[in-house]
PDB file of all heavy atoms in Angstrom:
ATOM      1  N   ARG A 277     124.484  65.066  91.887  1.00 83.00           N
ATOM      2  CA  ARG A 277     123.245  65.813  92.098  1.00 83.00           C
ATOM      3  C   ARG A 277     123.534  67.231  92.591  1.00 83.00           C
ATOM      4  O   ARG A 277     122.590  68.042  92.715  1.00 83.00           O
ATOM      5  CB  ARG A 277     122.352  65.101  93.132  1.00 83.00           C
ATOM      6  CG  ARG A 277     121.957  63.686  92.719  1.00 83.00           C
ATOM      7  CD  ARG A 277     121.290  62.974  93.857  1.00 83.00           C
ATOM      8  NE  ARG A 277     122.204  62.842  95.031  1.00 83.00           N
ATOM      9  CZ  ARG A 277     121.866  62.311  96.200  1.00 83.00           C
ATOM     10  NH1 ARG A 277     120.599  61.833  96.364  1.00 83.00           N
ATOM     11  NH2 ARG A 277     122.727  62.210  97.175  1.00 83.00           N
ATOM     12  N   ALA A 278     124.762  67.541  92.960  1.00 85.00           N
ATOM     13  CA  ALA A 278     125.083  68.829  93.606  1.00 85.00           C
ATOM     14  C   ALA A 278     124.655  70.020  92.747  1.00 85.00           C
ATOM     15  O   ALA A 278     124.041  70.955  93.213  1.00 85.00           O
ATOM     16  CB  ALA A 278     126.548  68.874  93.965  1.00 85.00           C
ATOM     17  N   GLU A 279     124.994  70.033  91.438  1.00 87.00           N
ATOM     18  CA  GLU A 279     124.642  71.125  90.610  1.00 87.00           C
ATOM     19  C   GLU A 279     123.135  71.298  90.463  1.00 87.00           C
ATOM     20  O   GLU A 279     122.610  72.391  90.455  1.00 87.00           O
ATOM     21  CB  GLU A 279     125.321  70.943  89.263  1.00 87.00           C
ATOM     22  CG  GLU A 279     125.008  72.065  88.238  1.00 87.00           C
ATOM     23  CD  GLU A 279     125.492  73.399  88.672  1.00 87.00           C
ATOM     24  OE1 GLU A 279     126.432  73.483  89.542  1.00 87.00           O
ATOM     25  OE2 GLU A 279     125.000  74.430  88.146  1.00 87.00           O
ATOM     26  N   LEU A 280     122.429  70.158  90.323  1.00 86.00           N
ATOM     27  CA  LEU A 280     120.976  70.202  90.182  1.00 86.00           C
ATOM     28  C   LEU A 280     120.339  70.726  91.435  1.00 86.00           C
ATOM     29  O   LEU A 280     119.412  71.561  91.414  1.00 86.00           O
ATOM     30  CB  LEU A 280     120.433  68.836  89.836  1.00 86.00           C
ATOM     31  CG  LEU A 280     118.913  68.736  89.692  1.00 86.00           C
ATOM     32  CD1 LEU A 280     118.416  69.622  88.581  1.00 86.00           C
ATOM     33  CD2 LEU A 280     118.462  67.278  89.449  1.00 86.00           C
ATOM     34  N   VAL A 281     120.834  70.270  92.614  1.00 87.00           N
ATOM     35  CA  VAL A 281     120.301  70.765  93.888  1.00 87.00           C
ATOM     36  C   VAL A 281     120.526  72.256  94.061  1.00 87.00           C
ATOM     37  O   VAL A 281     119.629  73.023  94.480  1.00 87.00           O
ATOM     38  CB  VAL A 281     120.970  70.000  95.064  1.00 87.00           C
ATOM     39  CG1 VAL A 281     120.607  70.642  96.417  1.00 87.00           C
ATOM     40  CG2 VAL A 281     120.531  68.545  95.069  1.00 87.00           C
ATOM     41  N   ARG A 282     121.728  72.733  93.675  1.00 88.00           N
ATOM     42  CA  ARG A 282     122.011  74.137  93.773  1.00 88.00           C
ATOM     43  C   ARG A 282     121.050  74.958  92.889  1.00 88.00           C
ATOM     44  O   ARG A 282     120.489  75.989  93.318  1.00 88.00           O
ATOM     45  CB  ARG A 282     123.449  74.429  93.335  1.00 88.00           C
ATOM     46  CG  ARG A 282     123.887  75.888  93.442  1.00 88.00           C
ATOM     47  CD  ARG A 282     125.231  76.115  92.784  1.00 88.00           C
ATOM     48  NE  ARG A 282     125.172  75.877  91.352  1.00 88.00           N
ATOM     49  CZ  ARG A 282     124.671  76.753  90.478  1.00 88.00           C
ATOM     50  NH1 ARG A 282     124.229  77.928  90.907  1.00 88.00           N
ATOM     51  NH2 ARG A 282     124.650  76.500  89.195  1.00 88.00           N
ATOM     52  N   ARG A 283     120.807  74.516  91.657  1.00 88.00           N
ATOM     53  CA  ARG A 283     119.901  75.211  90.775  1.00 88.00           C
ATOM     54  C   ARG A 283     118.449  75.227  91.297  1.00 88.00           C
ATOM     55  O   ARG A 283     117.776  76.212  91.216  1.00 88.00           O
ATOM     56  CB  ARG A 283     119.974  74.591  89.385  1.00 88.00           C
ATOM     57  CG  ARG A 283     121.280  74.782  88.676  1.00 88.00           C
ATOM     58  CD  ARG A 283     121.323  74.046  87.341  1.00 88.00           C
ATOM     59  NE  ARG A 283     120.245  74.467  86.435  1.00 88.00           N
ATOM     60  CZ  ARG A 283     119.966  73.888  85.293  1.00 88.00           C
ATOM     61  NH1 ARG A 283     120.672  72.807  84.877  1.00 88.00           N
ATOM     62  NH2 ARG A 283     118.967  74.324  84.526  1.00 88.00           N
ATOM     63  N   LEU A 284     118.068  74.081  91.895  1.00 88.00           N
ATOM     64  CA  LEU A 284     116.702  73.996  92.431  1.00 88.00           C
ATOM     65  C   LEU A 284     116.524  74.939  93.607  1.00 88.00           C
ATOM     66  O   LEU A 284     115.462  75.624  93.707  1.00 88.00           O
ATOM     67  CB  LEU A 284     116.386  72.566  92.808  1.00 88.00           C
ATOM     68  CG  LEU A 284     116.082  71.605  91.650  1.00 88.00           C
ATOM     69  CD1 LEU A 284     115.985  70.175  92.186  1.00 88.00           C
ATOM     70  CD2 LEU A 284     114.802  72.012  90.957  1.00 88.00           C
ATOM     71  N   LEU A 285     117.519  75.004  94.506  1.00 88.00           N
ATOM     72  CA  LEU A 285     117.403  75.862  95.665  1.00 88.00           C
ATOM     73  C   LEU A 285     117.396  77.323  95.277  1.00 88.00           C
ATOM     74  O   LEU A 285     116.597  78.136  95.815  1.00 88.00           O
ATOM     75  CB  LEU A 285     118.590  75.583  96.647  1.00 88.00           C
ATOM     76  CG  LEU A 285     118.552  74.219  97.342  1.00 88.00           C
ATOM     77  CD1 LEU A 285     119.799  74.033  98.189  1.00 88.00           C
ATOM     78  CD2 LEU A 285     117.298  74.085  98.195  1.00 88.00           C
ATOM     79  N   GLU A 286     118.259  77.679  94.317  1.00 89.00           N
ATOM     80  CA  GLU A 286     118.257  79.046  93.867  1.00 89.00           C
ATOM     81  C   GLU A 286     116.927  79.432  93.192  1.00 89.00           C
ATOM     82  O   GLU A 286     116.413  80.492  93.380  1.00 89.00           O
ATOM     83  CB  GLU A 286     119.398  79.317  92.913  1.00 89.00           C
ATOM     84  CG  GLU A 286     120.772  79.261  93.571  1.00 89.00           C
ATOM     85  CD  GLU A 286     121.870  79.480  92.583  1.00 89.00           C
ATOM     86  OE1 GLU A 286     121.605  79.552  91.361  1.00 89.00           O
ATOM     87  OE2 GLU A 286     123.061  79.592  92.995  1.00 89.00           O
ATOM     88  N   TYR A 287     116.401  78.506  92.396  1.00 86.00           N
ATOM     89  CA  TYR A 287     115.146  78.772  91.713  1.00 86.00           C
ATOM     90  C   TYR A 287     113.985  78.918  92.723  1.00 86.00           C
ATOM     91  O   TYR A 287     113.114  79.770  92.583  1.00 86.00           O
ATOM     92  CB  TYR A 287     114.829  77.664  90.730  1.00 86.00           C
ATOM     93  CG  TYR A 287     113.505  77.839  90.039  1.00 86.00           C
ATOM     94  CD1 TYR A 287     113.373  78.712  88.969  1.00 86.00           C
ATOM     95  CD2 TYR A 287     112.357  77.145  90.467  1.00 86.00           C
ATOM     96  CE1 TYR A 287     112.163  78.905  88.338  1.00 86.00           C
ATOM     97  CE2 TYR A 287     111.156  77.330  89.845  1.00 86.00           C
ATOM     98  CZ  TYR A 287     111.055  78.189  88.765  1.00 86.00           C
ATOM     99  OH  TYR A 287     109.834  78.406  88.175  1.00 86.00           O
ATOM    100  N   GLU A 288     114.049  78.056  93.783  1.00 87.00           N
ATOM    101  CA  GLU A 288     112.972  78.150  94.789  1.00 87.00           C
ATOM    102  C   GLU A 288     113.027  79.482  95.543  1.00 87.00           C
ATOM    103  O   GLU A 288     111.992  80.086  95.822  1.00 87.00           O
ATOM    104  CB  GLU A 288     113.106  77.006  95.770  1.00 87.00           C
ATOM    105  CG  GLU A 288     111.942  76.954  96.754  1.00 87.00           C
ATOM    106  CD  GLU A 288     112.032  75.719  97.633  1.00 87.00           C
ATOM    107  OE1 GLU A 288     113.124  75.201  97.848  1.00 87.00           O
ATOM    108  OE2 GLU A 288     110.956  75.263  98.121  1.00 87.00           O
ATOM    109  N   GLN A 289     114.257  79.938  95.828  1.00 89.00           N
ATOM    110  CA  GLN A 289     114.383  81.250  96.491  1.00 89.00           C
ATOM    111  C   GLN A 289     113.833  82.368  95.603  1.00 89.00           C
ATOM    112  O   GLN A 289     113.134  83.265  96.073  1.00 89.00           O
ATOM    113  CB  GLN A 289     115.871  81.507  96.838  1.00 89.00           C
ATOM    114  CG  GLN A 289     116.417  80.574  97.925  1.00 89.00           C
ATOM    115  CD  GLN A 289     117.896  80.814  98.151  1.00 89.00           C
ATOM    116  OE1 GLN A 289     118.508  81.612  97.499  1.00 89.00           O
ATOM    117  NE2 GLN A 289     118.419  80.101  99.102  1.00 89.00           N
ATOM    118  N   MET A 290     114.158  82.324  94.307  1.00 88.00           N
ATOM    119  CA  MET A 290     113.673  83.350  93.401  1.00 88.00           C
ATOM    120  C   MET A 290     112.149  83.298  93.251  1.00 88.00           C
ATOM    121  O   MET A 290     111.477  84.297  93.138  1.00 88.00           O
ATOM    122  CB  MET A 290     114.349  83.190  92.054  1.00 88.00           C
ATOM    123  CG  MET A 290     115.840  83.421  92.046  1.00 88.00           C
ATOM    124  SD  MET A 290     116.258  85.075  92.575  1.00 88.00           S
ATOM    125  CE  MET A 290     115.578  86.046  91.233  1.00 88.00           C
ATOM    126  N   LYS A 291     111.604  82.058  93.269  1.00 86.00           N
ATOM    127  CA  LYS A 291     110.170  81.909  93.113  1.00 86.00           C
ATOM    128  C   LYS A 291     109.423  82.445  94.351  1.00 86.00           C
ATOM    129  O   LYS A 291     108.404  83.105  94.227  1.00 86.00           O
ATOM    130  CB  LYS A 291     109.840  80.458  92.888  1.00 86.00           C
ATOM    131  CG  LYS A 291     108.372  80.194  92.574  1.00 86.00           C
ATOM    132  CD  LYS A 291     108.118  78.712  92.252  1.00 86.00           C
ATOM    133  CE  LYS A 291     106.677  78.478  91.887  1.00 86.00           C
ATOM    134  NZ  LYS A 291     106.412  77.045  91.535  1.00 86.00           N
ATOM    135  N   VAL A 292     110.005  82.197  95.539  1.00 87.00           N
ATOM    136  CA  VAL A 292     109.399  82.718  96.775  1.00 87.00           C
ATOM    137  C   VAL A 292     109.442  84.229  96.780  1.00 87.00           C
ATOM    138  O   VAL A 292     108.472  84.930  97.164  1.00 87.00           O
ATOM    139  CB  VAL A 292     110.084  82.086  98.001  1.00 87.00           C
ATOM    140  CG1 VAL A 292     109.565  82.819  99.281  1.00 87.00           C
ATOM    141  CG2 VAL A 292     109.822  80.608  98.082  1.00 87.00           C
ATOM    142  N   ALA A 293     110.625  84.757  96.368  1.00 88.00           N
ATOM    143  CA  ALA A 293     110.755  86.268  96.321  1.00 88.00           C
ATOM    144  C   ALA A 293     109.794  86.848  95.291  1.00 88.00           C
ATOM    145  O   ALA A 293     109.161  87.909  95.577  1.00 88.00           O
ATOM    146  CB  ALA A 293     112.190  86.616  95.988  1.00 88.00           C
ATOM    147  N   ALA A 294     109.629  86.209  94.158  1.00 85.00           N
ATOM    148  CA  ALA A 294     108.697  86.705  93.142  1.00 85.00           C
ATOM    149  C   ALA A 294     107.277  86.647  93.679  1.00 85.00           C
ATOM    150  O   ALA A 294     106.442  87.562  93.391  1.00 85.00           O
ATOM    151  CB  ALA A 294     108.819  85.912  91.869  1.00 85.00           C
ATOM    152  N   GLY A 295     106.937  85.616  94.425  1.00 85.00           N
ATOM    153  CA  GLY A 295     105.577  85.508  95.010  1.00 85.00           C
ATOM    154  C   GLY A 295     105.329  86.629  96.018  1.00 85.00           C
ATOM    155  O   GLY A 295     104.229  87.179  96.038  1.00 85.00           O
ATOM    156  N   ARG A 296     106.354  86.970  96.803  1.00 88.00           N
ATOM    157  CA  ARG A 296     106.173  88.064  97.782  1.00 88.00           C
ATOM    158  C   ARG A 296     106.013  89.401  97.069  1.00 88.00           C
ATOM    159  O   ARG A 296     105.207  90.242  97.492  1.00 88.00           O
ATOM    160  CB  ARG A 296     107.377  88.079  98.700  1.00 88.00           C
ATOM    161  CG  ARG A 296     107.434  86.879  99.649  1.00 88.00           C
ATOM    162  CD  ARG A 296     108.691  86.946 100.510  1.00 88.00           C
ATOM    163  NE  ARG A 296     108.763  85.766 101.413  1.00 88.00           N
ATOM    164  CZ  ARG A 296     109.789  85.508 102.212  1.00 88.00           C
ATOM    165  NH1 ARG A 296     110.862  86.316 102.202  1.00 88.00           N
ATOM    166  NH2 ARG A 296     109.768  84.421 102.994  1.00 88.00           N
ATOM    167  N   LEU A 297     106.803  89.581  95.993  1.00 87.00           N
ATOM    168  CA  LEU A 297     106.638  90.828  95.234  1.00 87.00           C
ATOM    169  C   LEU A 297     105.256  90.900  94.599  1.00 87.00           C
ATOM    170  O   LEU A 297     104.660  91.982  94.535  1.00 87.00           O
ATOM    171  CB  LEU A 297     107.719  90.916  94.169  1.00 87.00           C
ATOM    172  CG  LEU A 297     109.141  91.176  94.677  1.00 87.00           C
ATOM    173  CD1 LEU A 297     110.138  91.145  93.508  1.00 87.00           C
ATOM    174  CD2 LEU A 297     109.249  92.517  95.398  1.00 87.00           C
ATOM    175  N   ASN A 298     104.761  89.768  94.127  1.00 85.00           N
ATOM    176  CA  ASN A 298     103.452  89.786  93.485  1.00 85.00           C
ATOM    177  C   ASN A 298     102.342  90.056  94.479  1.00 85.00           C
ATOM    178  O   ASN A 298     101.276  90.560  94.093  1.00 85.00           O
ATOM    179  CB  ASN A 298     103.217  88.411  92.796  1.00 85.00           C
ATOM    180  CG  ASN A 298     101.983  88.392  91.939  1.00 85.00           C
ATOM    181  OD1 ASN A 298     101.834  89.239  91.056  1.00 85.00           O
ATOM    182  ND2 ASN A 298     101.064  87.483  92.191  1.00 85.00           N
ATOM    183  N   GLU A 299     102.535  89.714  95.737  1.00 87.00           N
ATOM    184  CA  GLU A 299     101.542  90.020  96.771  1.00 87.00           C
ATOM    185  C   GLU A 299     101.464  91.469  97.137  1.00 87.00           C
ATOM    186  O   GLU A 299     100.494  91.918  97.734  1.00 87.00           O
ATOM    187  CB  GLU A 299     101.799  89.175  98.011  1.00 87.00           C
ATOM    188  CG  GLU A 299     101.628  87.687  97.824  1.00 87.00           C
ATOM    189  CD  GLU A 299     102.034  86.893  99.069  1.00 87.00           C
ATOM    190  OE1 GLU A 299     102.501  87.524 100.028  1.00 87.00           O
ATOM    191  OE2 GLU A 299     101.870  85.646  99.049  1.00 87.00           O
ATOM    192  N   MET A 300     102.514  92.238  96.796  1.00 87.00           N
ATOM    193  CA  MET A 300     102.503  93.656  97.111  1.00 87.00           C
ATOM    194  C   MET A 300     101.555  94.386  96.197  1.00 87.00           C
ATOM    195  O   MET A 300     101.323  93.957  95.073  1.00 87.00           O
ATOM    196  CB  MET A 300     103.922  94.231  96.981  1.00 87.00           C
ATOM    197  CG  MET A 300     104.949  93.610  97.885  1.00 87.00           C
ATOM    198  SD  MET A 300     106.612  94.268  97.609  1.00 87.00           S
ATOM    199  CE  MET A 300     106.366  95.979  98.097  1.00 87.00           C
ATOM    200  N   PRO A 301     100.943  95.456  96.691  1.00 86.00           N
ATOM    201  CA  PRO A 301      99.997  96.211  95.826  1.00 86.00           C
ATOM    202  C   PRO A 301     100.675  96.729  94.566  1.00 86.00           C
ATOM    203  O   PRO A 301     101.803  97.248  94.639  1.00 86.00           O
ATOM    204  CB  PRO A 301      99.535  97.358  96.751  1.00 86.00           C
ATOM    205  CG  PRO A 301      99.798  96.859  98.139  1.00 86.00           C
ATOM    206  CD  PRO A 301     101.011  95.993  98.045  1.00 86.00           C
ATOM    207  N   GLN A 302     100.021  96.583  93.468  1.00 82.00           N
ATOM    208  CA  GLN A 302     100.556  97.015  92.195  1.00 82.00           C
ATOM    209  C   GLN A 302      99.602  97.988  91.493  1.00 82.00           C
ATOM    210  O   GLN A 302      98.388  97.863  91.598  1.00 82.00           O
ATOM    211  CB  GLN A 302     100.798  95.830  91.250  1.00 82.00           C
ATOM    212  CG  GLN A 302     101.830  94.831  91.784  1.00 82.00           C
ATOM    213  CD  GLN A 302     102.083  93.704  90.794  1.00 82.00           C
ATOM    214  OE1 GLN A 302     101.758  93.818  89.647  1.00 82.00           O
ATOM    215  NE2 GLN A 302     102.702  92.651  91.264  1.00 82.00           N
ATOM    216  N   VAL A 303     100.210  98.980  90.818  1.00 80.00           N
ATOM    217  CA  VAL A 303      99.442  99.971  90.111  1.00 80.00           C
ATOM    218  C   VAL A 303      98.704  99.318  88.947  1.00 80.00           C
ATOM    219  O   VAL A 303      99.244  98.410  88.272  1.00 80.00           O
ATOM    220  CB  VAL A 303     100.363 101.084  89.599  1.00 80.00           C
ATOM    221  CG1 VAL A 303      99.539 102.138  88.835  1.00 80.00           C
ATOM    222  CG2 VAL A 303     101.093 101.745  90.763  1.00 80.00           C
ATOM    223  N   GLU A 304      97.481  99.725  88.707  1.00 78.00           N
ATOM    224  CA  GLU A 304      96.604  99.244  87.646  1.00 78.00           C
ATOM    225  C   GLU A 304      96.120  97.809  87.869  1.00 78.00           C
ATOM    226  O   GLU A 304      95.384  97.261  87.045  1.00 78.00           O
ATOM    227  CB  GLU A 304      97.268  99.350  86.239  1.00 78.00           C
ATOM    228  CG  GLU A 304      97.753 100.744  85.925  1.00 78.00           C
ATOM    229  CD  GLU A 304      96.636 101.751  85.831  1.00 78.00           C
ATOM    230  OE1 GLU A 304      95.472 101.307  85.724  1.00 78.00           O
ATOM    231  OE2 GLU A 304      96.915 102.958  85.914  1.00 78.00           O
ATOM    232  N   ARG A 305      96.573  97.145  88.968  1.00 78.00           N
ATOM    233  CA  ARG A 305      96.060  95.832  89.326  1.00 78.00           C
ATOM    234  C   ARG A 305      95.241  95.893  90.600  1.00 78.00           C
ATOM    235  O   ARG A 305      94.101  95.431  90.665  1.00 78.00           O
ATOM    236  CB  ARG A 305      97.170  94.816  89.463  1.00 78.00           C
ATOM    237  CG  ARG A 305      96.709  93.400  89.608  1.00 78.00           C
ATOM    238  CD  ARG A 305      97.769  92.446  90.106  1.00 78.00           C
ATOM    239  NE  ARG A 305      98.133  92.686  91.476  1.00 78.00           N
ATOM    240  CZ  ARG A 305      99.037  91.957  92.166  1.00 78.00           C
ATOM    241  NH1 ARG A 305      99.649  90.933  91.529  1.00 78.00           N
ATOM    242  NH2 ARG A 305      99.359  92.261  93.409  1.00 78.00           N
ATOM    243  N   ASP A 306      95.834  96.520  91.645  1.00 81.00           N
ATOM    244  CA  ASP A 306      95.140  96.624  92.937  1.00 81.00           C
ATOM    245  C   ASP A 306      94.619  98.021  93.182  1.00 81.00           C
ATOM    246  O   ASP A 306      93.691  98.207  93.972  1.00 81.00           O
ATOM    247  CB  ASP A 306      96.110  96.226  94.075  1.00 81.00           C
ATOM    248  CG  ASP A 306      96.663  94.825  93.908  1.00 81.00           C
ATOM    249  OD1 ASP A 306      95.842  93.905  93.701  1.00 81.00           O
ATOM    250  OD2 ASP A 306      97.865  94.645  93.953  1.00 81.00           O
ATOM    251  N   PHE A 307      95.192  99.011  92.560  1.00 78.00           N
ATOM    252  CA  PHE A 307      94.734 100.382  92.729  1.00 78.00           C
ATOM    253  C   PHE A 307      95.094 101.163  91.500  1.00 78.00           C
ATOM    254  O   PHE A 307      95.916 100.744  90.673  1.00 78.00           O
ATOM    255  CB  PHE A 307      95.330 101.028  93.987  1.00 78.00           C
ATOM    256  CG  PHE A 307      96.796 101.142  93.963  1.00 78.00           C
ATOM    257  CD1 PHE A 307      97.429 102.304  93.500  1.00 78.00           C
ATOM    258  CD2 PHE A 307      97.575 100.089  94.440  1.00 78.00           C
ATOM    259  CE1 PHE A 307      98.796 102.367  93.482  1.00 78.00           C
ATOM    260  CE2 PHE A 307      98.951 100.204  94.440  1.00 78.00           C
ATOM    261  CZ  PHE A 307      99.569 101.332  93.960  1.00 78.00           C
ATOM    262  N   THR A 308      94.490 102.336  91.365  1.00 83.00           N
ATOM    263  CA  THR A 308      94.731 103.183  90.193  1.00 83.00           C
ATOM    264  C   THR A 308      95.190 104.543  90.683  1.00 83.00           C
ATOM    265  O   THR A 308      94.697 105.072  91.683  1.00 83.00           O
ATOM    266  CB  THR A 308      93.451 103.365  89.367  1.00 83.00           C
ATOM    267  OG1 THR A 308      92.966 102.057  88.986  1.00 83.00           O
ATOM    268  CG2 THR A 308      93.684 104.208  88.129  1.00 83.00           C
ATOM    269  N   LEU A 309      96.233 105.068  90.038  1.00 80.00           N
ATOM    270  CA  LEU A 309      96.728 106.395  90.400  1.00 80.00           C
ATOM    271  C   LEU A 309      95.829 107.466  89.854  1.00 80.00           C
ATOM    272  O   LEU A 309      95.327 107.366  88.742  1.00 80.00           O
ATOM    273  CB  LEU A 309      98.166 106.582  89.856  1.00 80.00           C
ATOM    274  CG  LEU A 309      99.241 105.684  90.439  1.00 80.00           C
ATOM    275  CD1 LEU A 309     100.578 105.932  89.732  1.00 80.00           C
ATOM    276  CD2 LEU A 309      99.406 105.906  91.922  1.00 80.00           C
ATOM    277  N   ALA A 310      95.605 108.487  90.656  1.00 80.00           N
ATOM    278  CA  ALA A 310      94.830 109.618  90.228  1.00 80.00           C
ATOM    279  C   ALA A 310      95.733 110.598  89.466  1.00 80.00           C
ATOM    280  O   ALA A 310      96.813 110.970  89.943  1.00 80.00           O
ATOM    281  CB  ALA A 310      94.167 110.345  91.419  1.00 80.00           C
ATOM    282  N   ARG A 311      95.322 110.948  88.286  1.00 78.00           N
ATOM    283  CA  ARG A 311      96.153 111.836  87.434  1.00 78.00           C
ATOM    284  C   ARG A 311      95.389 113.142  87.211  1.00 78.00           C
ATOM    285  O   ARG A 311      94.244 113.127  86.857  1.00 78.00           O
ATOM    286  CB  ARG A 311      96.476 111.173  86.097  1.00 78.00           C
ATOM    287  CG  ARG A 311      97.382 109.940  86.243  1.00 78.00           C
ATOM    288  CD  ARG A 311      97.668 109.361  84.882  1.00 78.00           C
ATOM    289  NE  ARG A 311      98.578 108.248  84.942  1.00 78.00           N
ATOM    290  CZ  ARG A 311      98.256 106.985  85.144  1.00 78.00           C
ATOM    291  NH1 ARG A 311      96.965 106.689  85.289  1.00 78.00           N
ATOM    292  NH2 ARG A 311      99.147 106.037  85.193  1.00 78.00           N
ATOM    293  N   VAL A 312      96.102 114.232  87.475  1.00 76.00           N
ATOM    294  CA  VAL A 312      95.509 115.568  87.269  1.00 76.00           C
ATOM    295  C   VAL A 312      96.464 116.324  86.350  1.00 76.00           C
ATOM    296  O   VAL A 312      97.644 116.484  86.648  1.00 76.00           O
ATOM    297  CB  VAL A 312      95.360 116.342  88.583  1.00 76.00           C
ATOM    298  CG1 VAL A 312      94.783 117.702  88.364  1.00 76.00           C
ATOM    299  CG2 VAL A 312      94.436 115.558  89.547  1.00 76.00           C
ATOM    300  N   TRP A 313      95.969 116.737  85.225  1.00 75.00           N
ATOM    301  CA  TRP A 313      96.764 117.460  84.255  1.00 75.00           C
ATOM    302  C   TRP A 313      96.575 118.974  84.499  1.00 75.00           C
ATOM    303  O   TRP A 313      95.460 119.467  84.477  1.00 75.00           O
ATOM    304  CB  TRP A 313      96.384 117.122  82.836  1.00 75.00           C
ATOM    305  CG  TRP A 313      96.538 115.662  82.534  1.00 75.00           C
ATOM    306  CD1 TRP A 313      95.567 114.690  82.531  1.00 75.00           C
ATOM    307  CD2 TRP A 313      97.771 114.967  82.265  1.00 75.00           C
ATOM    308  NE1 TRP A 313      96.100 113.454  82.238  1.00 75.00           N
ATOM    309  CE2 TRP A 313      97.439 113.583  82.081  1.00 75.00           C
ATOM    310  CE3 TRP A 313      99.102 115.337  82.132  1.00 75.00           C
ATOM    311  CZ2 TRP A 313      98.424 112.635  81.762  1.00 75.00           C
ATOM    312  CZ3 TRP A 313     100.053 114.418  81.810  1.00 75.00           C
ATOM    313  CH2 TRP A 313      99.692 113.057  81.633  1.00 75.00           C
ATOM    314  N   ILE A 314      97.661 119.673  84.715  1.00 71.00           N
ATOM    315  CA  ILE A 314      97.637 121.100  84.999  1.00 71.00           C
ATOM    316  C   ILE A 314      98.453 121.798  83.880  1.00 71.00           C
ATOM    317  O   ILE A 314      99.612 121.459  83.628  1.00 71.00           O
ATOM    318  CB  ILE A 314      98.251 121.430  86.343  1.00 71.00           C
ATOM    319  CG1 ILE A 314      97.431 120.714  87.486  1.00 71.00           C
ATOM    320  CG2 ILE A 314      98.265 122.927  86.601  1.00 71.00           C
ATOM    321  CD1 ILE A 314      97.990 120.922  88.839  1.00 71.00           C
ATOM    322  N   ASP A 315      97.793 122.733  83.245  1.00 67.00           N
ATOM    323  CA  ASP A 315      98.474 123.517  82.216  1.00 67.00           C
ATOM    324  C   ASP A 315      99.450 124.486  82.893  1.00 67.00           C
ATOM    325  O   ASP A 315      99.082 125.300  83.750  1.00 67.00           O
ATOM    326  CB  ASP A 315      97.439 124.325  81.406  1.00 67.00           C
ATOM    327  CG  ASP A 315      98.058 124.904  80.153  1.00 67.00           C
ATOM    328  OD1 ASP A 315      99.276 124.858  79.988  1.00 67.00           O
ATOM    329  OD2 ASP A 315      97.317 125.401  79.307  1.00 67.00           O
ATOM    330  N   PRO A 316     100.786 124.383  82.555  1.00 70.00           N
ATOM    331  CA  PRO A 316     101.750 125.247  83.239  1.00 70.00           C
ATOM    332  C   PRO A 316     101.514 126.735  82.931  1.00 70.00           C
ATOM    333  O   PRO A 316     101.900 127.594  83.695  1.00 70.00           O
ATOM    334  CB  PRO A 316     103.084 124.769  82.652  1.00 70.00           C
ATOM    335  CG  PRO A 316     102.782 124.110  81.350  1.00 70.00           C
ATOM    336  CD  PRO A 316     101.392 123.508  81.555  1.00 70.00           C
ATOM    337  N   VAL A 317     100.919 127.067  81.804  1.00 70.00           N
ATOM    338  CA  VAL A 317     100.630 128.452  81.467  1.00 70.00           C
ATOM    339  C   VAL A 317      99.121 128.678  81.475  1.00 70.00           C
ATOM    340  O   VAL A 317      98.393 128.081  80.686  1.00 70.00           O
ATOM    341  CB  VAL A 317     101.223 128.810  80.099  1.00 70.00           C
ATOM    342  CG1 VAL A 317     100.903 130.244  79.736  1.00 70.00           C
ATOM    343  CG2 VAL A 317     102.719 128.560  80.056  1.00 70.00           C
TER     344      VAL A 317
END
């Protein structure tokens, strides 16, 4: 079971990290960036 346990623990760590990243504010999901176009000339 050692290899399966190792894969499960690593996957759980990655899943927890992905969940924390998903909780962070994201552009176009939680807020929108204000864009101002300025003609250089």
Side-chain angles (χ1 to χ4, degrees):
R277 303 170 297 177
E279 178 64 19
L280 179 61
V281 170
R282 182 190 65 80
R283 292 175 60 186
L284 284 172
L285 292 177
E286 290 180 354
Y287 177 79
E288 187 175 25
Q289 292 176 356
M290 296 298 295
K291 187 174 182 179
V292 171
R296 291 176 180 175
L297 289 176
N298 189 54
E299 292 175 357
M300 299 177 65
Q302 297 183 17
V303 180
E304 304 299 342
R305 188 194 68 177
D306 303 309
F307 62 92
T308 303
L309 293 178
R311 295 181 175 87
V312 179
W313 301 100
I314 301 177
D315 193 350
V317 179

